[in-house]
Amino acid sequence: MFGCLVAGRLVQTDAQQVAGDKFVFNLPDYENVNHVVVFMLGTVPFPVGMGGAVYFSFPDPVGGQVWQLLGFITNEKPSAIFKISKLKPGEGAEHPFGMMPAPHLASMAQVGVSIEPLEQLVQQTPVPGATVSAVDSFIQMTPNPSEMFIPASSILKWYENFQRRMAQNPNFWKT
């Protein structure tokens, strides 16, 4: 039903079902991971009105796991990229995974997907810094009064004139 992808690694589709509505991916060597992509495989959609909350858990040598909400996926938004490199161990909130046995390896983190109602998903607040910005950088451009902007149509007209003159006399620009 779900897949997990880390750059430079094979796609993981081997989620362990730990409860009827909860799935977990083991993420070895998480210290070298900046982003993780969680996606639906396209074989089984979510039930109507449901989606998947995506959580991340660091290994905890003291015992018990701390899960952090990264965001969610739905049938309409079947994949998402999450930044885990800036997350800090020990900072978590309420989560649906309960007291699961932690992975035995010290460098093994986990990514969990919990199937929950959409109304509940949209009210949850992901841990700060986990969601990769989807804002286009051009939207953030603000005019600077000391700069002059040239309309693209003016540049296109200049280029067309330049091509026409080059076709008539390839050495026109030398004079």
Side-chain angles (χ1 to χ4, degrees), residues 9-169:
R9 298 185 186 182
L10 292 173
V11 173
Q12 289 180 261
T13 57
D14 59 345
Q16 299 170 8
Q17 188 168 2
V18 295
D21 59 352
K22 292 169 185 43
F23 301 83
V24 175
F25 290 99
N26 288 324
L27 194 62
D29 194 25
Y30 76 94
E31 297 92 348
N32 297 319
V33 176
N34 292 322
H35 296 82
V36 63
V37 179
V38 177
F39 58 94
M40 297 176 65
L41 296 175
T43 55
V44 179
F46 284 113
V48 174
M50 303 294 276
V54 180
Y55 292 86
F56 179 77
S57 175
F58 288 96
D60 188 359
V62 178
Q65 290 175 285
V66 178
W67 290 89
Q68 300 178 6
L69 178 65
L70 300 178
F72 61 90
I73 56 175
T74 65
N75 289 335
E76 292 75 31
K77 182 185 162 229
S79 65
I81 302 172
F82 303 106
K83 185 172 188 173
I84 63 170
S85 61
K86 302 244 183 208
L87 301 181
K88 295 179 177 56
E91 295 179 1
E94 188 176 322
H95 61 86
F97 286 91
M99 291 303 293
M100 290 179 36
H104 299 295
L105 300 174
S107 64
M108 181 81 71
Q110 290 184 313
V111 173
V113 179
S114 173
I115 300 174
E116 301 173 7
L118 291 175
E119 302 86 41
Q120 185 177 334
L121 290 177
V122 297
Q123 294 176 7
Q124 296 175 356
T125 305
V127 65
T131 306
V132 176
S133 176
V135 177
D136 189 8
S137 60
F138 290 108
I139 292 174
Q140 298 176 352
M141 187 173 95
T142 55
N144 184 346
S146 65
E147 294 177 349
M148 182 173 62
F149 293 93
I150 301 171
S153 60
S154 297
I155 295 171
L156 182 60
K157 185 176 179 179
W158 170 86
Y159 182 67
E160 289 169 350
N161 285 335
F162 180 81
Q163 283 183 318
R164 181 181 47 77
R165 291 182 72 188
M166 277 294 279
Q168 293 172 352
N169 177 8

